Amino acid sequence: MSSVHTEKYFEDDVFEHLTSHGWLGGDAAKYDAQLALYPEDAIAWVREAYPKEWEKFCVQNSGDPEGLFLKQLVRERSKHGTLSVLRHGFKIAGLGATRIAMSMPMPSSRNNPDAVSRYEAIRCRVVRQVHYSPNRQGESIDLLLLVNGVPVATVELKTQFTQTVHDAIRQYRFDRPPKDPTTRAAEPLLQFKSGAIVHFAVSTEEVYMTTRLAGKDTRFLPFNQGHNEGAGNPPNPDGYKTAYLWERVFDRDEWLHIIAKFVHLESKGNKETMIFPRFH
């Protein structure tokens, strides 16, 4: 059986688990590669989470409020980063001190129905075979994870029957450059800090991750459970050895908790490093 077919079955299984456990399935055609956004989710979130602010914004910008909002979101993300717009939000002209945050942590209790309602309105979406590049036609990533339309993770899948996790790593290093090799134009989704937060190379046996794509110099770290006091993952009597990734790490509430509390942008002098918590 070809690697294409076996990878499709693997992708089917991951996608079907997520979409039956709180994630929305997406249409790759609705992803905007130039903006690096799933626009309908970003707009739906601000409408539901900030209805009064959105109404005021629409009155002030009656021509194209949605387009203007998306443009400001992209500008703020480019300036301050994906993590910042998700956690801390950004100000919009005309709305005073209000900050529009593109996500929120789980409420500490259910005694505040408004907070609970907002949290439940968060759209966690998984999209398959995303043509992510506005520069290189035909290039696609197996899975893209988004929160309220903002990309947070990419996933390349390989099945151990035909390839290993190191083939996925090579794919990121040599086929997923953050800049177009010919034009040097930036690939919005693959930019450090302002693009997806983390990139996972996943096989049926192992998981590796990176938070900064740098071509052949990209450094991947293992994201495995360990087995018998060594590397790798223990056997899984119920399926893939790497099922913990989508069953536990990508669990909707756990994923939002990780994004809200445990990812950290570390600054030392002029150097920034995105710290994504290792699996343990």
Side-chain angles (χ1 to χ4, degrees):
M1 185 178 293
S2 73
S3 61
V4 172
H5 286 95
T6 54
E7 282 174 21
K8 181 184 182 302
Y9 296 142
F10 187 26
E11 184 182 305
D12 287 345
D13 290 341
V14 177
F15 182 83
E16 288 169 9
H17 175 87
L18 290 175
T19 54
S20 63
H21 289 81
W23 287 73
L24 301 170
D27 180 352
K30 293 184 177 181
Y31 175 75
D32 188 313
Q34 188 66 56
L35 299 179
L37 290 173
Y38 200 90
E40 72 174 53
D41 283 357
I43 297 299
W45 164 253
V46 71
R47 282 178 180 275
E48 292 184 29
Y50 299 92
K52 293 180 181 178
E53 291 82 359
W54 179 250
E55 182 178 359
K56 184 177 179 180
F57 182 74
C58 288
V59 170
Q60 295 175 345
N61 302 278
S62 57
D64 182 18
E66 294 186 358
L68 183 59
F69 174 78
L70 294 174
K71 186 181 296 184
Q72 292 197 32
L73 169 56
V74 170
R75 183 171 63 243
E76 290 296 320
R77 186 183 62 187
S78 298
K79 185 176 181 180
H80 299 291
T82 297
L83 192 60
S84 179
V85 299
L86 288 169
R87 284 187 183 169
H88 308 302
F90 56 98
K91 293 181 181 180
I92 294 180
L95 297 185
T98 300
R99 298 186 71 88
I100 305 297
M102 293 306 293
S103 189
M104 63 175 286
M106 179 188 291
S108 56
S109 78
R110 300 190 70 83
N111 294 332
N112 184 336
D114 288 341
V116 171
S117 178
R118 285 180 69 207
Y119 177 76
E120 291 177 347
I122 292 174
R123 289 161 170 78
C124 288
R125 191 178 294 275
V126 54
V127 189
R128 306 172 66 168
Q129 297 301 320
V130 174
H131 291 272
Y132 66 89
S133 174
N135 309 304
R136 305 167 68 207
Q137 300 303 311
E139 294 292 331
S140 64
I141 282 177
D142 290 338
L143 296 176
L144 175 62
L145 307 185
L146 310 101
V147 172
N148 290 327
V150 178
V152 288
T154 72
V155 183
E156 291 287 2
L157 300 168
K158 302 296 176 187
T159 59
Q160 204 68 18
F161 299 108
T162 54
Q163 295 179 299
T164 73
V165 70
H166 299 288
D167 291 293
I169 290 173
R170 279 191 289 272
Q171 191 169 20
Y172 272 117
R173 284 177 172 158
F174 297 103
D175 298 336
R176 303 286 178 261
K179 289 186 177 180
D180 181 273
T182 303
T183 66
R184 305 305 295 165
E187 300 287 6
L189 178 64
L190 307 183
Q191 294 305 295
F192 171 73
K193 187 177 173 180
S194 63
I197 292 171
V198 61
H199 308 275
F200 290 100
V202 183
S203 77
T204 51
E205 305 286 312
E206 294 187 84
V207 180
Y208 280 71
M209 54 148 280
T210 186
T211 56
R212 185 192 291 265
L213 292 175
K216 64 182 178 59
D217 297 320
T218 303
R219 180 170 178 251
F220 277 85
L221 298 173
F223 197 78
N224 298 311
Q225 301 176 87
H227 179 48
N228 288 338
E229 300 183 0
N233 290 297
N236 179 3
D238 299 315
Y240 303 110
K241 287 184 180 180
T242 52
Y244 62 89
L245 179 66
W246 52 93
E247 292 177 356
R248 295 164 63 184
V249 180
F250 294 166
D251 170 82
R252 181 185 185 276
D253 288 339
E254 182 63 24
W255 184 247
L256 291 174
H257 187 54
I258 290 171
I259 298 297
K261 299 293 185 181
F262 293 103
V263 182
H264 176 61
L265 183 64
E266 182 179 89
S267 298
K268 291 184 179 180
N270 294 325
K271 184 178 180 181
E272 292 183 312
T273 304
M274 188 73 70
I275 308 297
F276 191 90
R278 304 281 292 281
F279 186 85
H280 59 80

